[in-house]
Structures are given as C-alpha cells and as structure tokens.
Amino acid sequence: MSISLKEKLAELIFEYDKLRFHICPKIEDMYLLSFGFLECEAYNLDIELEMIKRYIELFNQGEDLSKIDEMLDNEFEESVGMLEKYMGELDLAIERKDTHFELSEDDLDSLNSLYLDLIYKLHPSFNPVQSIYEKDLFEEIVEAFETYDLTSMRSLAILIPEGKTIFEDDDVFIKSISQINQEIYNIKNSYPYNKKKILDDEKLFKDYKIQLLDVVANDYLLIEEYGKKLDELI
C-alpha cells in the first residue's frame, strides 16, 4: 500500500529537520576535528605567503615603506576575518566534543517517533492557521528535537490543544513536498553534508590529509624563499 501525500510530506519534513539538526552538525564536527587544524594552518600560511609576495610587489612599485603594512592589513582584512571565523568554528567543535550528549538507541527512537507525530499536529504545513501559542509551542518542540531533549518534548506534547485537526489539501501537500525535496537536495549538495564522502571513505580521508600536509610543507618552503627575497630588498 502506497503512503499518502500527507505521510510523504511528514516524512520529508522529519528528514529535513534531522539533516539540519542532527546529521549535518555531526558531519561538520567530525570534519572540523579531522581536518580543521590542518586547513587552518594551510590557510594561515597561504595568507602569510601572499602578503610577503604583495609586500615585495608594493616595494618594487616604490610605495612608502611606512604605509605598506597598513595597505596589506586592508587588502587581506577579509581573508584574515575568514580564517578567524573558521578558527572560531573549530574551537566550538572542540568544546562540543567534550560536552556532547547522546541518547540511548531506545530514547532516540522515541524522540524521532514523537517528533514525527507532533509534525502532524503543529507543523505549519499541516496547520497553516495557528495561534501565537501554537507557533511558540512548536518552536519549543523543534528546539527540544534539535537538542535531543526527550523529556521536554514529552512535556510539551501534553500542552497541545485537544481536538487539534490536521489540514487536508493534496494540492498544498504536493507543492510542499516539491519545496522540501529541493531543500533536502540543497543540503545534501552543500557544506557540511558534501564532506560526508571524505569522512566515510578511508582512502579519500587519508588522501586529503596527505594533500593538506603537502600544502603546509610547500607553503613553509615558499615562505622561506620569499622571505629571503624580502630581506634582500629591505
């Protein structure tokens, strides 16, 4: 027996939220903890190398030495900002590693099952006309799902108004199914989900780590080379 449009939509909403709140954050943390240090080092060295090259270029153009450092700061401000942002994300991943909480398999099944049931009762796709109370309640339910808080979700489920009816409109469901399928496609083809293949494939994992190590080693050699050229100029 084929599932109804209503069931298909609910399952897609659940898949979408599971990707956003559970699967992708874990992939991102695993990726950052596996490669973040090397990527930060490679990016930092790349910035340093490009700054030295640019310093030499500006010097040869006759720029005032007293102004070159300020010019470089301005030119590389965005790159340095991106590096600092990435380093901050790595720090957060390290913090989460020490505080990560996992539900037991049975409790995780209960969390997923209860959330799927509550999608029918309060998700806007099934309840387009909601009171402020219902909107706030569902936001708290989503937060409980995101944080694996089964106890809170069970408590919140009790607060759902009695006699809540589910919206029925196949045309609306078809449109929503198409939209959510697109959102799921977008997630699976962007960061961090697109790093899953590297994490899951031992050969790709090792090859990428070797590639990063080669980049770092090569950048150190180039920085030394260009650093000597700069010393000769000034």
Side-chain angles (χ1 to χ4, degrees):
M1 180 179 175
S2 61
I3 65 173
S4 66
L5 288 172
K6 180 172 61 179
E7 291 170 322
K8 177 65 174 177
L9 176 57
E11 289 179 2
L12 284 172
I13 292 170
F14 174 77
E15 180 185 354
Y16 175 61
D17 285 350
K18 191 168 181 62
L19 279 168
R20 290 193 299 156
F21 299 135
H22 294 176
I23 295 174
C24 284
K26 285 184 179 180
I27 291 173
E28 182 171 27
D29 282 355
M30 288 176 62
Y31 183 82
L32 288 170
L33 293 171
S34 298
F35 301 112
F37 291 103
L38 279 173
E39 286 191 343
C40 281
E41 180 69 0
Y43 191 30
N44 181 54
L45 291 173
D46 184 60
I47 292 173
E48 183 178 348
L49 176 60
E50 292 305 314
M51 288 182 77
I52 294 174
K53 289 180 178 179
R54 182 63 174 145
Y55 194 108
I56 293 172
E57 182 181 2
L58 292 171
F59 181 89
N60 288 334
Q61 290 174 357
E63 291 289 348
D64 188 337
L65 287 179
S66 64
K67 296 180 179 179
I68 290 181
D69 285 337
E70 182 180 352
M71 294 171 67
L72 291 176
D73 287 342
N74 291 333
E75 288 185 24
F76 289 87
E77 181 179 5
E78 183 177 353
S79 296
V80 172
M82 290 175 63
L83 174 61
E84 291 174 347
K85 181 177 182 293
Y86 188 47
M87 291 174 65
E89 291 170 353
L90 177 57
D91 288 340
L92 290 175
I94 295 170
E95 291 178 16
R96 286 191 293 267
K97 177 178 179 295
D98 297 330
T99 60
H100 186 63
F101 173 73
E102 279 283 6
L103 291 176
S104 68
E105 186 174 340
D106 287 343
D107 282 346
L108 184 58
D109 287 342
S110 296
L111 180 83
N112 291 338
S113 178
L114 179 56
Y115 185 60
L116 183 58
D117 180 59
L118 295 175
I119 284 172
Y120 284 110
K121 295 179 178 178
L122 281 181
H123 192 280
S125 293
F126 296 107
N127 298 275
V129 180
Q130 291 182 319
S131 65
I132 295 177
Y133 169 78
E134 290 170 335
K135 290 179 181 178
D136 291 343
L137 181 59
F138 189 65
E139 286 180 4
E140 291 186 56
I141 288 170
V142 172
E143 183 178 353
F145 178 71
E146 179 179 359
T147 57
Y148 297 87
D149 191 345
L150 178 58
T151 301
S152 291
M153 188 179 292
R154 283 171 171 164
S155 299
L156 291 165
I158 299 173
L159 302 177
I160 295 176
E162 293 184 7
K164 186 70 179 172
T165 58
I166 298 176
F167 176 72
E168 300 277 359
D169 189 320
D170 284 355
D171 289 338
V172 173
F173 289 167
I174 290 171
K175 182 178 179 180
S176 296
I177 286 171
S178 176
Q179 290 173 339
I180 295 176
N181 266 325
Q182 182 62 50
E183 292 294 338
I184 290 172
Y185 174 84
N186 292 341
I187 286 177
K188 289 185 174 182
N189 286 276
S190 59
Y191 179 84
Y193 193 90
N194 59 7
K195 301 300 183 182
K196 186 175 185 297
K197 188 175 182 180
I198 293 177
L199 295 170
D200 290 345
D201 188 307
E202 185 176 354
K203 184 178 185 306
L204 289 176
F205 187 99
K206 289 181 178 179
D207 287 348
Y208 185 54
K209 183 157 283 190
I210 291 171
Q211 178 185 335
L212 287 173
L213 288 169
D214 287 344
V215 168
V216 168
N218 188 58
D219 276 354
Y220 271 119
L221 291 175
L222 289 173
I223 286 172
E224 182 178 2
E225 176 186 337
Y226 278 92
K228 289 178 180 179
K229 291 180 179 180
L230 182 59
D231 289 342
E232 292 173 359
L233 288 175
I234 59 177

